[in-house]
Amino acid sequence: MKALEGVRILDFTHVQSGPTCTQLLAWFGADVIKVERPGVGDATRGQLRDIPDVDSLYFTMLNSNKRSITLNTKSEKGKEILEKLVKSCDVLVENFAPGALDRMGFGWDQVQQINPLMIYASVKGFGPGPYEDCKVYENVAQCTGGAASTTGFLDGPPTVTGAQIGDSGTGLHLALGIVTALFQRETTGKGQRVLAAMQDGVLNLCRVKLRDQQRLQHGPLKEYSQFGQGIPFGEATPRAGNDSGGGQPGWIVKCKGWETDPDAYVYFITQAAVWGSICDLIGKPEWKDDPGYAKPEARLDKIPQIFDTIEQWTKTKTKLEVMEACNPLNIPCGPILSMKELSEEPSLRATGTVVEVDHPTRGKYLTVGNPIKLSDSPSEVSRSPLLGEHTSEILTQVLGLSEDEVQETWASGALGEMPEQAAAE
Ligand code: COA
């Protein structure tokens, strides 16, 4: 028994944000029915393809454990089928451009009438306000949610991060909203609307920068390296390079091999509690009692210089040797692991965080597994569905249509072209 077994999701999501959410729910055991446009499907099936005519990794890595039905929801017959699906599902998840579902005739008001128990969950770029009608992609959200203005180096332009905090981040927020609404439905007996706006999600993840915006009113941000460099602060939270976002100064420093390996670096944190051990490790035992270095407050104007000295030591070791030397002394540090290293890391394979699955047209590929581990609800990853792979199965199993009705629906054109195998049967 999986945690969300028995929960049926009508998945109208596409691209990344929504599919991240429904993939998570599927990993927890929900039956996720992905509705796709006949002949086209989720646009990502065809984007960034590495193998011709095969579903892209972009698609396959976001749509594991789901079933796919093709349905033209703008045709009369398609609307009839969709209405039946709305009656049979617990949750509708969508991340269309604002207004698309209303234009289709399946906005919140209509869906509530068809199925008052329905949880109606949406990702949108912005919440209510001046930009609510705008289409939004990942980097737009990073820019409008405060991530880009606070990422990058002080003397460089705003920078987006590789972590998909706008899309995948908002998908995670939405998933929490959905399970919370399902939980509340247990007592109220009613569905409700769940909205996760990408701008809000990014800002939520950037809260430490909003914290610093307010701290700025009361003086310079002393833990930022720009303070040690004597550079004055402006009116808004600045970009802080690799400064740590917390109270313990940190920075990325070079390790042995940095001249040729772009990832031969380590994130080093000068946590106050282990300052003495750091001094011994980097060959500066005299700093332990030096009034200019002994206390965290005294070190604030010397942070760049301290990290230069730490780097002289880390450059004599590989990033993993640095980690091996630091861990026994409780000095936190993070070797910069490349995607190649992560994809080959045996411990991530062992925990199912990275998994290999087999696909009928692609063959074997690597994908992510559930990063959230439940002791009573293990997640097995199954491959993403082919376009419309489960169309007939969903019509009979979920909607209870007879064989004749299924054939009739195919004949109406609402499901697109009947796959050769189904036609032969
Ligand atoms: N049958 C018939 N029509 C369908 C369909 C189906 N099964 N599935 C989708 N469509 C239609 C929609 O009704 C819509 O038509 P309309 O505009 O005529 O009403 C159309 O396909 C496309 O929807 P849209 O969402 O506008 O796609 P887009 O490619 O133009 O925009 C996004 C893509 C991501 C920019 C936009 O969906 C968006 O801003 N979403 C919200 C924010 C978001 O999630 N962004 C991140 C994505 S990772």
Side-chain angles (χ1 to χ4, degrees):
M1 180 86 187
K2 299 269 171 66
L4 293 182
E5 223 165 284
V7 174
R8 186 166 281 150
I9 314 276
L10 182 54
D11 182 7
F12 257 122
T13 68
H14 63 154
V15 200
Q16 187 182 163
S17 62
T20 305
C21 165
T22 51
Q23 179 169 263
L24 257 184
L25 301 173
W27 282 333
F28 288 130
D31 177 15
V32 176
I33 298 174
K34 187 170 172 101
V35 181
E36 298 184 81
R37 240 181 313 178
V40 186
D42 187 326
T44 58
R45 285 188 185 266
Q47 282 175 0
L48 310 176
R49 272 189 174 146
D50 53 333
I51 305 173
D53 304 324
V54 166
D55 285 339
S56 71
L57 287 165
Y58 196 7
F59 177 83
T60 54
M61 292 179 72
L62 282 157
N63 290 285
S64 306
N65 299 58
K66 303 180 186 176
R67 300 200 273 177
S68 165
I69 176 173
T70 45
L71 190 64
N72 178 0
T73 56
K74 286 183 175 163
S75 70
E76 272 318 302
K77 189 72 180 170
K79 283 186 199 297
E80 194 186 306
I81 298 292
L82 183 53
E83 188 165 328
K84 289 193 167 93
L85 281 168
V86 168
K87 284 185 183 147
S88 318
C89 291
D90 301 281
V91 184
L92 182 157
V93 193
E94 62 96 18
N95 67 311
F96 287 129
L101 269 186
D102 297 275
R103 288 193 289 278
M104 216 184 264
F106 288 85
W108 165 236
D109 291 337
Q110 291 100 324
V111 167
Q112 238 186 333
Q113 275 175 13
I114 302 168
N115 180 357
L117 286 179
M118 182 66 96
I119 312 290
Y120 188 102
S122 308
V123 168
K124 292 288 167 265
F126 294 92
Y131 308 116
E132 65 189 22
D133 291 331
C134 298
K135 290 189 176 185
V136 168
Y137 282 108
E138 171 68 49
N139 289 344
V140 176
Q142 289 200 25
C143 293
T144 56
S149 69
T150 54
T151 303
F153 287 87
L154 193 58
D155 54 359
T159 305
V160 295
T161 134
Q164 305 285 283
I165 57 176
D167 278 339
S168 289
T170 310
L172 297 175
H173 284 103
L174 190 72
L176 178 61
I178 290 169
V179 290
T180 307
L182 281 169
F183 188 69
Q184 194 175 8
R185 192 176 77 171
E186 292 297 306
T187 43
T188 62
K190 282 195 315 186
Q192 64 179 300
R193 202 162 181 188
V194 180
L195 170 68
M198 294 168 75
Q199 181 185 42
D200 302 9
V202 171
L203 181 57
N204 183 42
L205 297 175
C206 291
R207 69 182 65 180
V208 299
K209 301 299 178 181
L210 185 58
R211 174 201 67 195
D212 291 348
Q213 179 63 38
Q214 297 172 83
R215 290 173 61 226
L216 258 184
Q217 323 294 316
H218 304 282
L221 306 170
K222 291 186 180 167
E223 78 285 8
Y224 280 51
S225 350
Q226 101 175 59
F227 176 72
Q229 291 158 344
I231 302 170
F233 285 79
E235 287 185 347
T237 308
R239 290 186 270 290
N242 289 318
D243 284 334
S244 127
Q248 311 288 347
W251 195 256
I252 289 181
V253 289
K254 292 170 180 157
C255 294
K256 198 178 193 171
W258 66 272
E259 299 90 339
T260 51
D261 176 357
D263 297 310
Y265 289 80
V266 68
Y267 197 92
F268 200 100
I269 301 166
T270 56
Q271 197 192 359
V274 288
W275 175 245
S277 303
I278 294 171
C279 295
D280 288 335
L281 196 67
I282 63 173
K284 284 282 179 193
E286 64 274 20
W287 279 359
K288 286 190 282 187
D289 301 316
D290 183 333
Y293 291 88
K295 293 268 179 305
E297 189 69 20
R299 296 194 285 272
L300 286 175
D301 60 352
K302 303 179 197 72
I303 287 174
Q305 176 225 325
I306 289 171
F307 280 108
D308 280 349
T309 309
I310 291 170
E311 190 172 67
Q312 295 314 311
W313 175 76
T314 55
K315 272 159 78 176
T316 66
K317 307 221 164 325
T318 67
K319 59 191 176 187
L320 293 178
E321 286 168 353
V322 171
M323 196 180 193
E324 275 157 29
C326 289
N327 273 352
L329 303 172
N330 282 328
I331 302 170
C333 69
I336 306 302
L337 297 182
S338 69
M339 276 302 148
K340 181 171 188 302
E341 289 167 314
L342 289 165
S343 65
E344 293 164 357
E345 172 57 44
S347 63
L348 294 176
R349 300 288 185 96
T351 56
T353 298
V354 176
V355 293
E356 189 176 74
V357 288
D358 209 355
H359 187 276
T361 54
R362 157 171 293 284
K364 290 198 185 340
Y365 66 97
L366 274 194
T367 189
V368 287
N370 195 344
I372 305 164
K373 321 290 187 202
L374 266 60
S375 62
D376 248 358
S377 182
S379 299
E380 296 92 23
V381 178
S382 59
R383 68 163 173 88
S384 61
L386 299 171
L387 179 60
E389 183 175 347
H390 306 97
T391 304
S392 294
E393 174 186 304
I394 289 163
L395 296 181
T396 45
Q397 257 187 22
V398 178
L399 302 185
L401 265 56
S402 67
E403 274 310 314
D404 285 349
E405 287 168 322
V406 172
Q407 291 304 323
E408 192 191 305
T409 315
W410 276 111
S412 75
L415 307 172
E417 251 176 61
M418 189 189 276
E420 275 168 32
Q421 198 193 345
E425 284 165 9

